[in-house]
Amino acid sequence: MDDDDEFFDTISVNSSVSRRRFDNRDYLSLSRNTVYHSVVDLETMELTPLDQSEEGHSQNKVSRNRDVKTYKQWRDRQWRYFTNGELCVDFVLAYDKEGKPEDVSKRNQFEANLEAVGLILEKEENQRIHFVKIHVPREVLCQYAEILKLRLPIRYDGSEPPSKGLFYSTVNKLLDCCHVRLDPKLFPPKKYRLTAEFCRDKNYLFDVDSPDFFNQGVRIAVASYILERERYGPDDQDKGIKRLISEDIYKAAYPLHDGDLHEKGSNRVLLLNHWAQVTKWVKYQPIDEIKDYFGVKIALYFAWLGFYTHMLIPASVVGILCLIYAATILNSDILSHDICNLDIVMCPRCDKYCDYWKLNEGCLYAKIQHFIDNPATIFFAVFMSFWSILYLELWKRYSAEITHRWGLTGFDLQAEPPRPEYLIRLANAKKRKLNVVTNLDEPAVSFWKVKLPSLILSFTVALLWVLIALIVVFGIVIYRMSLITSEVLYKDKTSYRIYILPITAGIINLICIMILNIMYNKLATLLTEMELQRTQTEYDDSLALKIYMFQFVNYYSSIFYIAFLKGKFVGYPAKYNRIFGFRQEECNPGGCLMELTIQLAIIMIGKQAINAVTEMVVPLLMKMYKSFTIATGIQKASPEEEVIISCNQWTEDYKLSDFEAQSLFSEYLEMVLQYGFVTIFVTAFPLAPLFALINNVLEMRLDAKKFIKYFRRPVPQRVKNIGVWFPIMGILGRISVVSNAFIIAFSSHFIPKLVYIMEVNRFHTEEGFLEHSLAIFNTSDFANGTAPESSAFNVATCRYSEYRNPSDGSNGVKYKRPIIYWHILAARLAFIVAYQNIVSFVVTAVEWAIPDIPRRLNDQIKREAYMTNETIIKHEMERARKPKKSKNRDSVISGETVYFDANGGVHPDLADSSNRSTLYPDLENS
């Protein structure tokens, strides 16, 4: 290395004194306690040679390049480049300099294989943590862009795609007036580029020589793909960077952010300041810039989250209007008025220890419940059923547009390369299967002998945990039943049963939910590994299905219990239905909807609050801890141990948390669970869309800030859609129709009131409905030991909320069901059937009327395919007219496959170029 190419990189902390002169003043001594100085203070500092230390050792050299005079100039050249300042760092490997001899051997073997592929490596070994900087040259990019079947821009001078018409231009003008669109100076609109699948044989289609043809995302993806499939030892399983990290041979492997959090002009700072800020909540998201920086998979998540959040706006508005309507008719609500004013004595809430009570004690409860149980509830339930299907149909259209713009049209799951873990586990597999998409032989396993048994075992264990979640809910129900009998301790506090007991039970349920989630998530990951899923997408979908199946039961089972079971099979005072000797819980005479709302609000809002705090606090604490351990050297107790100096991007990024696949999975899971709350139980909680909207506005920006500030830059991944989450939401939409129909029919007073008005009341009004819905019980009919021991009331009869014959049997058999009960039950079932069929018919009509792909986009795709073919034919005809030249080059997908080394075809401990050519036959001639 020439002296002109040597730059000041790190400052040794082994010497007792380390001084520089700056403007004739002593400069800050960099010691173990002062390794972090302000970057802003160094922006204009002039770099001069270091003095001699007390021991007489020369300090680290400073660049002698006369063009580099200030720290900022040096930093711009050194921050994320090789020492020569010319080659950019595409990927970084980090390892501790202390290690076993066999670890050193494996690292050397692995790095030699990387160099044999064509990657350029440079080591930095002047700190405790050593770094291997990786640069992917253009030749390797061309080869692997073809192997990975990337769609890249082609040379085409044709016209732009047709404009979207008057409607879209009008909408854009309205958006400009609302100031929600992005600043075109900061995020200029991207020019339309026609793309095609990259092929080196058709290099005339692509402007390969353009400096920005392969963007940073492509460079990272290629580097990651090579790292995941290179060997480091003699065994077939000794393969891939993930396995090296799991064996602690390397500490980390990651691509670099394009600057630190203070570097003006970098995409990272641009996204941080103008996207990942809560103050920008009203602005659109720069989806294309997010895709360029994080990749399609993460960009598609934020695109979906933004679309879902915007769709929550009309749902929130309608929910608020329903509550306003309920407030305007509160004074005219006959049911709540009767509960508050009639002097009715109710039967005891528990055996022996509870006394009779006055119905007007639940006056406030009845008024609050009126906001949930009113005529607007029906309208809101129907509206949300239509909203859910409209949201899904519009998302399909929107996602089709953005994935086409990102060059994913025609992308097939089978074109996705196999997971490294899959190839490692099948390294010795004898069975091979031809991939009809890539035309490559891949290792495969028997479906009947291997995959099916593993799937059965996996989902059987998942079902076992579902039963555990149900047992926990059952235990909480028993807890509620047992506490009712202790109400004598709170006999002067009516709010105990109505408010305190449901709230405490809801909090206990939330705590149990979070604990079970932590335990099950780890188990689900192990189960999914057993299934031998070929690609990362298949693996993620299988994991998502198992976890969501459990989460569905874990979060929703207690709510389903209150909505559909509580108070439905209680019995009557003379003969209560008991569980373990406890009386079942009864609903308040006003109904169970209020308690359902309390439970739903606690779980939904509590879960969102806990997740928001966890997602932001945990990464921040992890970064602080890693920075502290790195700065103080407590990871290595030796006092003369070197520490990391933050003088470049790779040391800065090393402090950040690794972005794992589970990171994005947990974000999807949280939002889809929220979607279930918004749709399935929205009848009981009209404000659910509003709370979801507020949460998502914050969630979107906080997730963005978390990914930018506290996580390393992820490897870009290609996906065509949001995966298994879309069909899950489709199933939730169907469930919500049935659920809301049952809640309206059995948990509200809508059907009983309707039957009473039509059949019982001769004036067809609600007058007398409360008296009609309360049965009469003769206190002399109490079973032995169940009547109150001491009572402040001297009554011969009490009332309870049921449809039963009176104690004198004047209308039939004593305490049996009257005919009106069966009329109401028939009306409830008829309502469910009618509601479900009407909504399903409208939903089917909407699905048929709205195509999945807009006609304009469909025409554009056909036009692009035609133009690409015409361009290829034109150039092929020109080439055919020219004299042929001899060319010795194998096809990328001919000869040995890219999976040849995974199939055991070459001995891995031979790392010289002659042997590597069998693994990568195109490298010699590319």
Side-chain angles (χ1 to χ4, degrees):
M1 184 185 304
D2 297 333
D3 289 341
D4 290 343
D5 291 330
E6 295 178 3
F7 288 84
F8 174 78
D9 190 26
T10 60
I11 298 180
S12 173
V13 296
N14 292 328
S15 58
S16 59
V17 177
S18 178
R19 293 180 178 271
R20 288 198 298 170
R21 304 292 295 178
F22 174 57
D23 292 341
N24 297 322
R25 290 176 294 180
D26 289 341
Y27 181 62
L28 155 75
S29 175
L30 294 182
S31 65
R32 193 176 292 273
N33 297 321
T34 58
V35 292
Y36 298 100
H37 46 266
S38 173
V39 174
V40 178
D41 296 337
L42 297 177
E43 290 295 321
T44 57
M45 287 185 179
E46 183 177 357
L47 297 178
T48 59
L50 294 176
D51 297 335
Q52 296 291 322
S53 67
E54 291 183 354
E55 290 83 356
H57 299 302
S58 176
Q59 300 300 312
N60 298 64
K61 294 182 180 180
V62 184
S63 171
R64 297 178 182 175
N65 191 330
R66 298 183 181 274
D67 296 333
V68 179
K69 297 181 179 180
T70 66
Y71 172 82
K72 185 178 187 304
Q73 291 173 338
W74 165 81
R75 180 183 178 279
D76 290 342
R77 185 171 179 183
Q78 289 292 104
W79 192 251
R80 57 193 316 275
Y81 286 84
F82 277 47
T83 305
N84 60 14
E86 301 297 333
L87 299 179
C88 66
V89 178
D90 297 319
F91 224 91
V92 171
L93 308 179
Y95 62 91
D96 198 310
K97 73 175 186 179
E98 299 293 335
K100 302 176 183 177
E102 56 268 25
D103 293 346
V104 176
S105 174
K106 290 178 180 179
R107 280 197 298 266
N108 293 336
Q109 177 72 44
F110 184 69
E111 291 164 12
N113 289 344
L114 295 180
E115 290 180 328
V117 173
L119 301 183
I120 301 175
L121 276 58
E122 182 182 68
K123 290 188 178 181
E124 182 181 289
E125 299 179 333
N126 48 11
Q127 308 182 68
R128 179 177 57 79
I129 298 297
H130 293 178
F131 295 96
V132 180
K133 296 172 281 186
I134 300 176
H135 174 78
V136 186
R138 185 169 295 273
E139 293 77 10
V140 177
L141 288 171
C142 291
Q143 178 189 2
Y144 280 89
E146 184 173 8
I147 291 175
L148 295 174
K149 299 185 179 298
L150 300 179
R151 292 185 65 90
L152 297 175
I154 67 174
R155 294 171 176 171
Y156 177 72
D157 299 328
S159 59
E160 294 284 329
S163 61
K164 295 184 177 180
L166 179 62
F167 173 76
Y168 287 94
S169 61
T170 305
V171 171
N172 289 334
K173 291 179 181 179
L174 293 175
L175 294 176
D176 291 335
C177 296
C178 298
H179 302 287
V180 298
R181 300 185 71 187
L182 296 169
D183 186 351
K185 295 181 180 178
L186 297 173
F187 301 100
K190 291 189 176 294
K191 186 179 179 181
Y192 171 76
R193 299 291 299 274
L194 187 61
T195 61
E197 199 172 275
F198 184 78
C199 179
R200 286 182 293 173
D201 289 335
K202 298 180 176 61
N203 55 8
Y204 51 80
L205 281 177
F206 307 92
D207 190 10
V208 181
D209 296 328
S210 173
D212 58 348
F213 179 74
F214 294 110
N215 59 29
Q216 193 62 31
V218 174
R219 307 181 72 89
I220 294 172
V222 169
S224 174
Y225 180 75
I226 295 174
L227 288 170
E228 288 176 353
R229 56 188 304 275
E230 281 305 315
R231 293 187 178 184
Y232 59 87
D235 297 332
D236 291 330
Q237 292 81 7
D238 296 340
K239 177 180 179 182
I241 187 62
K242 291 182 180 179
R243 190 173 179 89
L244 286 168
I245 294 175
S246 65
E247 295 178 1
D248 205 31
I249 298 175
Y250 285 100
K251 291 290 185 181
Y254 51 92
L256 297 181
H257 285 290
D258 70 343
D260 63 14
L261 299 175
H262 307 284
E263 184 175 346
K264 297 180 180 179
S266 67
N267 290 331
R268 187 184 186 189
V269 172
L270 179 67
L271 292 174
L272 178 64
N273 294 335
H274 299 281
W275 171 50
Q277 299 292 335
V278 178
T279 55
K280 305 293 183 181
W281 66 271
V282 74
K283 294 286 187 179
Y284 278 175
Q285 298 183 95
I287 295 298
D288 290 327
E289 284 73 15
I290 298 171
K291 188 269 297 184
D292 291 340
Y293 196 80
F294 289 107
V296 173
K297 190 172 185 178
I298 293 180
L300 199 58
Y301 162 73
F302 281 105
W304 168 76
L305 181 57
F307 183 85
Y308 168 51
T309 303
H310 279 85
M311 287 294 293
L312 284 172
I313 295 176
S316 303
V317 171
V318 175
I320 294 173
L321 292 177
C322 289
L323 292 181
I324 293 174
Y325 170 78
T328 59
I329 65 171
L330 176 61
N331 294 330
S332 61
D333 182 53
I334 298 175
L335 178 61
S336 60
H337 180 270
D338 289 346
I339 291 176
C340 293
N341 296 294
L342 295 181
D343 187 19
I344 299 176
V345 178
M346 302 296 293
C347 295
R349 294 166 177 153
C350 65
D351 297 336
K352 191 175 181 179
Y353 300 109
C354 296
D355 198 1
Y356 304 99
W357 58 286
K358 291 292 188 70
L359 180 60
N360 54 21
E361 292 177 4
C363 176
L364 179 61
Y365 181 95
K367 290 182 177 180
I368 296 176
Q369 178 159 298
H370 168 73
F371 285 88
I372 306 167
D373 189 2
N374 60 76
T377 303
I378 312 299
F379 167 77
F380 191 54
V382 175
F383 171 82
M384 288 304 296
S385 298
F386 295 155
W387 174 89
S388 63
I389 192 63
L390 188 64
Y391 150 70
L392 293 175
E393 291 300 314
L394 292 180
W395 164 249
K396 283 194 291 188
R397 292 170 60 87
Y398 179 66
S399 63
E401 291 184 356
I402 59 177
T403 52
H404 173 71
R405 187 165 77 242
W406 293 343
L408 293 170
T409 299
F411 177 74
D412 190 88
L413 183 63
Q414 293 298 319
E416 185 179 352
R419 298 168 58 235
E421 297 86 351
Y422 174 83
L423 293 177
I424 290 172
R425 294 189 62 182
L426 298 184
N428 297 321
K430 298 180 180 180
K431 185 178 180 179
R432 298 288 186 270
K433 183 179 180 180
L434 180 66
N435 187 325
V436 295
V437 177
T438 60
N439 200 31
L440 299 174
D441 278 329
E442 299 178 7
V445 294
S446 171
F447 175 79
W448 298 104
K449 294 181 180 180
V450 180
K451 293 205 68 173
L452 183 60
S454 63
L455 287 171
I456 293 175
L457 175 63
S458 179
F459 281 92
T460 301
V461 176
L463 289 174
L464 175 63
W465 274 81
V466 167
L467 293 177
I468 293 175
L470 291 176
I471 292 172
V472 170
V473 173
F474 181 74
I476 294 174
V477 171
I478 299 298
Y479 157 80
R480 293 160 62 107
M481 293 178 182
S482 64
L483 281 190
I484 291 177
T485 61
S486 64
E487 188 183 358
V488 66
L489 302 176
Y490 306 90
K491 59 184 177 181
D492 295 329
K493 298 180 181 179
T494 306
S495 62
Y496 167 73
R497 177 181 180 274
I498 298 178
Y499 305 109
I500 297 178
L501 184 58
I503 291 175
T504 56
I507 293 174
I508 293 174
N509 190 25
L510 178 62
I511 294 172
C512 293
I513 285 172
M514 303 307 292
I515 294 174
L516 287 175
N517 284 347
I518 295 173
M519 298 171 62
Y520 179 77
N521 287 348
K522 296 181 180 179
L523 177 64
T525 302
L526 295 176
L527 294 174
T528 310
E529 287 288 351
M530 296 170 48
E531 297 174 5
L532 294 175
Q533 300 293 346
R534 174 185 170 272
T535 65
Q536 188 64 42
T537 301
E538 292 172 340
Y539 175 88
D540 292 343
D541 289 349
S542 179
L543 180 63
L545 187 60
K546 278 193 289 294
I547 290 184
Y548 187 78
M549 181 178 64
F550 173 76
Q551 300 279 36
F552 183 90
V553 176
N554 200 20
Y555 278 102
Y556 300 151
S557 54
S558 61
I559 304 175
F560 274 113
Y561 161 74
I562 296 174
F564 304 130
L565 297 178
K566 183 179 177 181
K568 304 300 187 294
F569 310 100
V570 175
Y572 55 98
K575 187 181 178 182
Y576 283 115
N577 299 319
R578 301 177 185 273
I579 299 177
F580 297 134
F582 295 114
R583 275 175 51 179
Q584 294 186 41
E585 296 180 279
E586 301 177 39
C587 292
N588 190 278
C592 278
L593 268 184
M594 180 62 184
E595 188 172 343
L596 178 61
T597 302
I598 293 174
Q599 183 83 359
L600 182 62
I602 289 175
I603 295 179
M604 177 181 175
I605 299 175
K607 171 185 173 297
Q608 292 179 348
I610 291 174
N611 286 341
V613 173
T614 303
E615 289 176 1
M616 292 306 299
V617 172
V618 172
L620 175 60
L621 294 178
M622 288 296 296
K623 181 182 179 182
M624 293 173 61
Y625 173 75
K626 293 183 73 173
S627 299
F628 176 72
T629 55
I630 289 171
T632 59
I634 64 174
Q635 289 179 334
K636 294 287 184 179
S638 177
E640 58 272 354
E641 189 66 49
E642 293 179 350
V643 297
I644 290 184
I645 311 298
S646 299
C647 291
N648 43 53
Q649 188 66 57
W650 46 91
T651 54
E652 283 287 343
D653 288 2
Y654 182 74
K655 306 172 195 173
L656 304 179
S657 300
D658 189 25
F659 190 94
E660 301 175 353
Q662 288 292 97
S663 301
L664 198 59
F665 171 82
S666 61
E667 303 297 339
Y668 271 117
L669 179 63
E670 179 186 354
M671 290 295 104
V672 175
L673 285 171
Q674 179 203 90
Y675 178 78
F677 287 119
V678 169
T679 54
I680 297 178
F681 308 105
V682 72
T683 302
F685 195 23
L687 289 180
L690 178 62
F691 281 104
L693 174 63
I694 296 172
N695 174 80
N696 290 2
V697 168
L698 299 175
E699 178 83 13
M700 194 186 311
R701 307 299 169 170
L702 294 179
D703 280 349
K705 179 176 290 188
K706 176 179 66 176
F707 290 166
I708 293 175
K709 292 185 66 174
Y710 305 127
F711 283 93
R712 295 169 185 154
R713 187 172 182 174
V715 175
Q717 297 183 40
R718 291 180 295 166
V719 293
K720 191 175 182 179
N721 47 48
I722 61 175
V724 73
W725 302 110
F726 183 84
I728 286 177
M729 287 189 290
I731 294 173
L732 287 178
R734 301 292 184 178
I735 293 175
S736 68
V737 175
V738 180
S739 173
N740 287 311
F742 271 89
I743 290 175
I744 294 170
F746 286 95
S747 296
S748 73
H749 288 96
F750 174 72
I751 300 299
K753 280 183 181 180
L754 188 62
V755 174
Y756 175 80
I757 292 172
M758 296 179 63
E759 291 191 9
V760 179
N761 190 295
R762 59 178 181 172
F763 299 108
H764 302 294
T765 65
E766 292 184 24
E767 293 290 343
F769 171 73
L770 179 62
E771 287 276 357
H772 181 262
S773 63
L774 297 177
I776 302 174
F777 178 75
N778 193 323
T779 57
S780 62
D781 293 334
F782 273 117
N784 292 334
T786 61
E789 288 185 338
S790 60
S791 175
F793 298 86
N794 185 15
V795 293
T797 61
C798 61
R799 310 295 292 272
Y800 60 100
S801 182
E802 269 281 12
Y803 284 97
R804 290 188 181 271
N805 291 326
S807 58
D808 57 7
S810 57
N811 296 331
V813 182
K814 186 177 180 179
Y815 298 133
K816 294 301 181 180
R817 298 289 189 184
I819 191 66
I820 191 66
Y821 169 82
W822 302 107
H823 287 179
I824 293 174
L825 179 61
R828 283 171 167 164
L829 297 177
F831 171 81
I832 292 173
V833 173
Y835 179 91
Q836 186 174 353
N837 281 278
I838 293 173
V839 173
S840 298
F841 173 78
V842 176
V843 164
T844 304
V846 171
E847 291 178 340
W848 175 80
I850 302 178
D852 294 348
I853 300 177
R855 186 179 63 180
R856 175 185 52 80
L857 176 61
N858 201 20
D859 294 340
Q860 181 179 338
I861 293 173
K862 295 177 181 178
R863 174 65 178 168
E864 289 177 357
Y866 170 77
M867 292 186 297
T868 304
N869 289 333
E870 288 295 311
T871 305
I872 294 174
I873 292 173
K874 176 182 177 181
H875 283 87
E876 290 294 338
M877 292 179 64
E878 292 177 355
R879 292 177 62 182
R881 297 190 187 101
K882 296 179 181 179
K884 295 184 179 180
K885 298 180 180 179
S886 61
K887 187 176 182 181
N888 181 20
R889 178 184 178 275
D890 295 331
S891 172
V892 171
I893 58 175
S894 63
E896 305 296 353
T897 74
V898 295
Y899 306 107
F900 185 71
D901 52 340
N903 300 337
V906 175
H907 200 275
D909 59 349
L910 301 177
D912 56 81
S913 59
S914 62
N915 290 313
R916 294 297 300 178
S917 63
T918 60
L919 297 177
Y920 301 91
D922 295 320
L923 282 177
E924 289 185 341
N925 304 314
S926 61

